Amino acid sequence: MESSPLISAGLPVALFIIMIGIGMTLTVRDFRQVAVYPRGMVVGTIAQILLMPLAAFALAYLFGVSPAIAVGLVIIAACPGGTTSNLFVLLARGNIALSIVLTVIASLITIISLPLFTNMALQHFMGTAEDISLPVGKTIGMLVGIVLFPVALGMIVRTRKPEVARKAESVVSIFGGVVLAVLIVALLFGVRDQIGDLLKQAGPSTIMLNVVGIVLGLLAGRAAGLTQRESLAVAVELGVKNATIGLMVTLTLLESSAMSIPAAVYGVLMFPIGFLLAVYGRKVIPRSSLDKT
């Protein structure tokens, strides 16, 4: 599944603008609370890095998928949340500061954990192993350029012109919703000739992985005593993955189109499912709670 120019060129620009808007909803105090009360950070990181890949192993056996699909399923499960997860958390009224911290931490840990789980899956399901490595500089550069820098700009705007930040919040939500809707349409259009075969080969197991991630995040949050907004942030981070990394590993490093199928399917289906989660969040989390810890 190749990215269209709309996705490869337009999405980073749109995300940069959206992350500035997200930064306008945050203060240093929000991140300080994540650091002072790190339970959500710890729970979310463990669930992303460890529990999701283990769930993928279990689902591969449960659905009896082919070895290549099984490896691909583990790879997408081991990927970190993408920058779009921060947007979904914003739309769902979750804890955005926690979401950003989880995105950054998981993306950095993934440099080590993703190759580890990929090789475990290759050895277990196919009896082989590969020396997998991820581009450290590119990963860090992406995090700085599309997450940290624009968020910092937005926070500066909020500090200096709070009235502008307040007015921008609703605009960012609307713009973000439109971007996601356009992205879903573009992704579906890009795989329109293959969608039947893709869903047949990996649809059930991939959809279940997405649902398991969301449910696992909500349940882990509740078990750990996290707030509703924190639990929702963890659930979104587990459910909205960086499918681009999964495609890079399977297509570029492993050179396997079969292994790329779960990442391709996940990259499409996580958006409508994420929308449903955002609708759920807006129903259960009142707007008045956004100013509370």
Side-chain angles (χ1 to χ4, degrees):
M1 183 182 71
E2 296 181 357
S3 295
S4 69
L6 174 66
I7 296 174
S8 60
L11 183 58
V13 175
L15 284 176
F16 186 89
I17 296 171
I18 290 168
M19 295 307 290
I20 291 177
I22 289 176
M24 291 183 189
T25 70
L26 298 168
T27 64
V28 175
R29 179 170 172 264
D30 294 320
F31 289 98
R32 186 182 299 121
Q33 288 175 334
V34 172
V36 173
Y37 303 100
R39 189 178 301 174
M41 180 172 59
V42 173
V43 170
T45 300
I46 291 175
Q48 279 194 92
I49 300 301
L50 181 61
L51 298 186
M52 283 297 288
L54 294 179
F57 273 100
L59 290 173
Y61 279 110
L62 180 64
F63 285 90
V65 297
S66 68
I69 297 296
V71 173
L73 199 65
V74 172
I75 288 173
I76 187 62
C79 287
T83 52
T84 47
S85 64
N86 308 138
L87 172 57
F88 274 115
V89 172
L90 172 71
L91 296 175
R93 295 177 179 168
N95 188 312
I96 304 170
L98 176 59
S99 174
I100 292 173
V101 170
L102 289 175
T103 295
V104 172
I105 291 176
S107 296
L108 294 175
I109 295 177
T110 294
I111 295 171
I112 298 174
S113 63
L114 179 53
L116 175 64
F117 279 110
T118 298
N119 282 311
M120 285 176 59
L122 285 167
Q123 183 68 45
H124 190 75
F125 293 111
M126 307 189 76
T128 60
E130 299 283 345
D131 185 16
I132 305 297
S133 62
L134 296 180
V136 178
K138 184 177 180 180
T139 301
I140 295 175
M142 180 193 69
L143 289 172
V144 173
I146 301 183
V147 180
L148 299 182
F149 180 63
V151 166
L153 284 179
M155 292 175 66
I156 291 172
V157 172
R158 171 162 179 164
T159 300
R160 297 184 177 180
K161 295 187 177 182
E163 68 284 352
V164 173
R166 282 193 293 270
K167 292 178 181 178
E169 183 176 350
S170 59
V171 175
V172 170
S173 295
I174 294 172
F175 178 66
V178 171
V179 168
L180 289 176
V182 171
L183 183 58
I184 291 171
V185 173
L187 287 169
L188 290 174
F189 182 79
V191 297
R192 63 192 182 282
D193 297 328
Q194 308 165 275
I195 193 165
D197 290 336
L198 290 173
L199 290 175
K200 183 178 179 180
Q201 294 181 64
S205 58
T206 305
I207 293 173
M208 185 56 65
L209 178 65
N210 185 270
V211 172
V212 166
I214 291 171
V215 173
L216 181 63
L218 293 173
L219 292 179
R222 167 168 276 188
L226 303 184
T227 66
Q228 217 169 22
R229 294 186 65 210
E230 290 173 329
S231 297
L232 196 57
V234 172
V236 172
E237 287 297 318
L238 266 60
V240 180
K241 294 288 187 177
N242 191 335
T244 303
I245 292 180
L247 290 171
M248 181 194 72
V249 171
T250 53
L251 292 175
T252 304
L253 300 179
L254 297 177
E255 299 181 348
S256 172
S257 57
M259 291 180 189
S260 73
I261 291 174
V265 174
Y266 200 102
V268 173
L269 296 181
M270 71 180 184
F271 287 97
I273 294 176
F275 258 128
L276 294 177
L277 187 59
V279 171
Y280 165 77
R282 296 182 81 86
K283 285 187 176 181
V284 301
I285 298 177
R287 186 179 182 85
S288 58
S289 69
L290 299 184
D291 296 325
K292 299 177 181 179
T293 60

